[in-house]
């Protein structure tokens, strides 16, 4: 699961990133509001118009600090929601006044957490808001005789069930969401490992290999097909 963290206090951002990554989240860090919009691929077209680049729809949730330079978190939130983007968003702030919390929620935030906070509470809030988002989509992805449970990461056929590791699950979810459609190596890297990851592109092939072995072990009637120079897709076995 991939998160955007927009927090201008760099020491806090680094600490939060480490903890989130240790809890199996992929994290991109932004340090001001304009940078957050860049990560979310929300861009200005002219003076007032906004556009949203759908190929940048790579996040499962965002954490926005309210008091950020260049553009505050509430302004970022409003611009994202103005485009009818329903990305789960949690607001962080040092402010505790009721009016500030109400403003954030009325602007479209899914949740609100006041500093200082415990990491256990932050992790619980993230789980809750991303779970609510998942509940608005199908809990089970199906293609052929294969089923992927989005809540438990379980991959199953009529012959058995396996639980996928986090990155395996994310890759197969991307493939099964659009069966037959090629997903490029770059798309996998951006979505799962993040823009600034030091991982090599061959890590995608490694995880594709893991998934193929698991599909074979379950006697699945689908396969992951490589298209040279383009990427990977799921299709029915011939």
């Amino acid at each position: 699961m991939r998160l955007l963290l927009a927090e201008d206090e760099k020491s806090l951002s680094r600490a939060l990133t480490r903890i989130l990554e240790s809890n199996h989240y992929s994290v991109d860090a932004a340090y001001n509001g304009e940078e957050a919009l860049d990560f979310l691929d929300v861009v200005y077209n002219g003076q007032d118009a906004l556009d949203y680049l759908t190929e940048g729809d790579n996040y499962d949730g965002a954490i926005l600090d309210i008091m950020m330079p260049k553009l505050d978190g509430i302004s970022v939130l409003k611009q994202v929601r103005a485009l009818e983007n329903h990305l789960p968003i949690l607001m962080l702030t040092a402010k505790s006044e009721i009016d500030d919390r109400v403003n954030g929620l009325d602007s479209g935030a899914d949740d609100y957490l006041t500093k200082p906070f415990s990491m256990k509470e932050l992790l619980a809030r993230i789980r809750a808001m991303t779970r609510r988002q998942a509940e608005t989509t199908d809990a089970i992805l199906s293609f052929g005789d294969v089923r992927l449970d989005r809540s438990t990461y379980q991959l199953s056929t009529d012959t058995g069930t396996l639980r996928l590791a986090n990155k395996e699950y994310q890759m197969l979810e991307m493939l099964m969401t659009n069966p037959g459609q090629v997903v490029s190596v770059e798309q996998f890297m951006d979505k799962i490992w993040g823009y600034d990851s030091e991982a090599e592109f061959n890590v995608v092939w490694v995880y594709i290999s893991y998934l193929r072995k698991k599909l074979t072990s379950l006697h699945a009637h689908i396969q992951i097909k490589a298209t040279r120079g383009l990427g990977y897709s799921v299709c029915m076995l011939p």
Side-chain angles (χ1 to χ4, degrees), residues 61-217:
I63 304 166
L64 305 179
D65 186 30
I66 286 187
M67 301 300 293
M68 289 189 292
K70 296 189 177 180
L71 199 65
D72 65 85
I74 295 291
S75 296
V76 173
L77 171 67
K78 287 179 177 179
Q79 291 188 18
V80 171
R81 293 296 187 244
L83 300 168
E84 298 185 1
N85 180 350
H86 302 295
L87 176 76
I89 295 178
L90 170 69
M91 306 302 295
L92 297 180
T93 182
K95 297 179 179 180
S96 58
E97 290 83 358
I98 291 176
D99 287 347
D100 293 316
R101 296 200 295 272
V102 169
N103 186 25
L105 295 171
D106 282 348
S107 298
D110 294 271
D111 207 347
Y112 201 105
L113 196 55
T114 303
K115 301 175 184 177
F117 51 82
S118 73
M119 279 307 304
K120 284 185 177 180
E121 182 175 9
L122 175 62
L123 290 168
R125 299 287 187 98
I126 293 170
R127 288 193 299 270
M129 75 174 186
T130 54
R131 183 169 59 246
R132 288 194 297 271
Q133 177 74 359
E135 287 170 354
T136 65
T137 60
D138 292 336
I140 305 293
L141 270 176
S142 298
F143 180 59
D145 65 334
V146 173
R147 298 173 297 278
L148 181 64
D149 191 317
R150 283 173 153 149
S151 61
T152 65
Y153 291 13
Q154 288 184 324
L155 177 68
S156 61
T157 65
D158 292 340
T159 64
T161 299
L162 292 172
R163 189 179 190 280
L164 300 181
N166 184 39
K167 287 182 171 59
E168 293 174 336
Y169 163 78
Q170 291 185 69
M171 290 183 72
L172 191 57
E173 182 189 35
M174 288 178 70
L175 291 167
M176 289 182 63
T177 299
N178 298 287
Q181 179 176 319
V182 174
V183 180
S184 70
V185 171
E186 291 80 5
Q187 286 174 307
F188 282 126
M189 293 298 295
D190 284 350
K191 170 74 175 177
I192 298 168
W193 280 269
Y195 294 106
D196 57 354
S197 171
E198 296 180 1
E200 299 289 338
F201 275 21
N202 64 2
V203 73
V204 171
W205 179 86
V206 171
Y207 277 88
I208 289 291
S209 178
Y210 293 159
L211 286 170
R212 283 172 167 164
K213 289 176 181 177
K214 290 185 175 181
L215 288 170
T216 298
S217 72

Side-chain angles (χ1 to χ4, degrees), residues 1 3 5 13-27 119-120 122-123 126-127 166-167:
M1 186 169 288
L3 301 174
L5 171 63
S13 176
R14 287 192 293 267
L16 291 175
T17 297
R18 284 195 299 270
I19 294 170
L20 290 168
E21 289 178 341
S22 70
N23 282 271
H24 311 296
Y25 293 101
S26 299
V27 182
M119 279 307 304
K120 284 185 177 180
L122 175 62
L123 290 168
I126 293 170
R127 288 193 299 270
N166 184 39
K167 287 182 171 59

